[in-house]
Each structure stands twice: as C-alpha cells, then as structure tokens.
C-alpha cells in the first residue's frame, strides 16, 4: 500500500485520515506533501498534534464528498461513518466539503496519490470526482470500498466501469483495498 512512484514533490490526499498513520508512513517514505481530511474533531486533533512540526503535512477538519453539508458521524473509532444506520445517538455532527471546491481552493493541479477510506461515502465521492472531470488529475487512487452500504456491489461496479475509462486496476483485494493508476 506504500509502493508508488512518489518523491518530495508529490502531492497525496488522505481522505479519511483517522489519526494519520497512513499519512505518516507515506511521508516518511517519500517526504511528499500530504493533505489529511478528517471530519472527526477527535481524530483531527490527534493529526494536528502529531504533525504540528511538519510543514509538509496539512490537516483539515472536514471530510470530502459531492456536497457541502453537515452529517452525524457515528462514534466507532476507525470505522466511524456518516452512512451507516446508527442505532444510537452516540457521535457528533461533522462538516463535509465538496471535493471539486476544495481542489480548486487549494490550487492543486495534480494529485499523485488519492487514498480514500471513508466508510461508505466513497459511493458519493468518486462519481463526483469523475463527473467533474477531475479524475484525469489523479495519478493513483487507493480505495477501500465498503460492503455494508445498500447495493454496494452494483454501486462499486458502476464506479469501476467509469474508472476503467481513465485508469487501470493495479491490484485488488475485493472490498478490502484496491489501487487504480492513470493510463
């Protein structure tokens, strides 16, 4: 999950950064610029503290999707989600921003690696990135599709069908992790 053609000039988006473990590993290996998007205030604070002395890792206290909104985030540590059917009210309200708007605000031209682990919200995010034609500006997409979402297999298949137009599948552990690289 860490082997890419990255270097100190590369840009990585870690969407669903949790406490920054992936960001830390990818930074340590390549010394690249990393943008962490974590909607949970608790996990965001961990990232801010963890990377406070690193001028190449930027932390944002919101998630990325296809809209600007607020959602209830369940409190399930690394499996916290805005899409799961939550039986209790434990959790918090979090901010979600539109990917295309943030991409423009940050003045990003190309993303070398986009890591997505957002507990079901990938089914909203990826079609948005494809529809906005930003998909061609992403060299690698490392994604964890989640199967607890209603009709997850067909939703994944539709996304994969669109992804195949611009990217090729490098490896896939079905509903665990997979990687797609720009053709």
């Amino acid at each position: 999950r860490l082997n890419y053609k990255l270097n100190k000039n590369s840009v990585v988006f870690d969407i669903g950064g949790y406490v920054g473990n992936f960001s830390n590993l990818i930074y340590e290996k390549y010394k690249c610029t990393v943008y962490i998007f974590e909607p949970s205030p608790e996990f965001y604070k961990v990232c801010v503290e963890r990377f406070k002395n690193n001028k190449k890792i930027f932390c944002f206290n919101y998630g990325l999707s296809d809209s600007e909104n607020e959602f209830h985030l369940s409190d399930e540590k690394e499996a916290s989600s805005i899409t799961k059917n939550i039986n209790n009210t434990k959790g918090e309200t979090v901010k979600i921003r539109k990917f295309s708007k943030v991409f423009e605000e940050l003045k990003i031209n190309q993303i070398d690696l986009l890591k997505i682990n957002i507990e079901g919200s990938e089914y909203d995010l990826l079609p948005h990135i494809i529809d906005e034609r930003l998909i061609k500006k992403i060299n690698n997409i490392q994604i964890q599709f989640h199967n607890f979402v209603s009709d997850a297999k067909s939703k994944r298949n539709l996304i994969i069908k669109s992804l195949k137009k611009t990217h090729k599948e490098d490896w896939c552990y079905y509903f665990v992790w997979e990687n797609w690289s720009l053709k």
Side-chain angles (χ1 to χ4, degrees):
R1 293 193 45 222
L2 300 174
N3 294 328
Y4 291 93
K5 292 180 181 175
L6 302 177
N7 58 50
K8 66 179 181 161
N9 299 314
S10 298
V11 172
V12 175
F13 272 32
D14 185 353
I15 304 178
Y18 186 45
V19 294
N21 294 338
F22 179 83
S23 291
N24 187 60
L25 291 170
I26 209 82
Y27 172 79
E28 286 300 320
K29 186 166 183 171
Y30 301 105
K31 304 301 185 221
C32 51
T33 299
V34 181
Y35 296 86
I36 301 172
F37 300 91
E38 176 51 57
S40 164
E42 176 186 349
F43 306 143
Y44 164 76
K45 287 175 189 168
V46 171
C47 289
V48 168
E49 181 62 27
R50 182 175 191 176
F51 302 116
K52 67 183 176 188
N53 296 318
N54 189 321
K55 297 196 183 318
K56 291 191 80 175
I57 299 181
F58 303 92
C59 305
F60 299 90
N61 190 203
Y62 52 82
L64 295 177
S65 192
D66 62 341
S67 64
E68 302 269 330
N69 221 324
E70 289 187 348
F71 291 94
H72 182 82
L73 180 71
S74 65
D75 182 11
E76 300 174 75
K77 301 300 175 208
E78 73 276 0
S80 297
S81 173
I82 64 171
T83 60
K84 288 184 183 176
N85 291 324
I86 303 163
N87 294 330
N88 61 44
T89 57
K90 195 174 174 189
E92 57 200 332
T93 300
V94 297
K95 185 176 182 180
I96 303 298
R97 303 256 346 259
K98 193 172 191 175
F99 180 92
S100 57
K101 191 171 182 177
V102 171
F103 186 88
E104 184 180 327
E105 287 172 4
L106 294 174
K107 298 180 179 10
I108 303 293
N109 294 319
Q110 193 79 21
I111 297 172
D112 297 292
L113 173 59
L114 175 69
K115 184 236 118 203
I116 305 170
N117 184 7
I118 51 178
E119 305 303 315
S121 294
E122 63 273 12
Y123 299 108
D124 296 322
L125 175 62
L126 279 168
H128 167 70
I129 293 171
I130 293 165
D131 291 346
E132 293 291 317
R133 295 188 172 99
L134 294 172
I135 197 72
K136 292 181 180 181
K137 295 180 178 265
I138 303 170
N139 294 334
N140 290 281
I141 303 166
Q142 185 180 127
I143 175 89
Q144 185 174 74
F145 284 102
H146 294 82
N147 61 6
F148 61 78
V149 173
S150 175
D151 210 18
K153 286 182 183 180
S154 64
K155 288 177 181 176
R156 179 189 172 276
N157 288 341
L158 281 172
I159 291 169
I160 296 307
K161 184 178 177 183
S162 291
L163 264 182
K164 284 182 178 179
K165 294 174 185 173
T166 55
H167 289 69
K168 66 178 179 63
E169 181 183 275
D170 299 305
W171 47 267
C172 177
Y173 299 94
Y174 192 61
F175 281 104
V176 179
W177 281 106
E178 56 194 85
N179 195 84
W180 292 79
S181 60
L182 193 61
K183 289 182 183 178

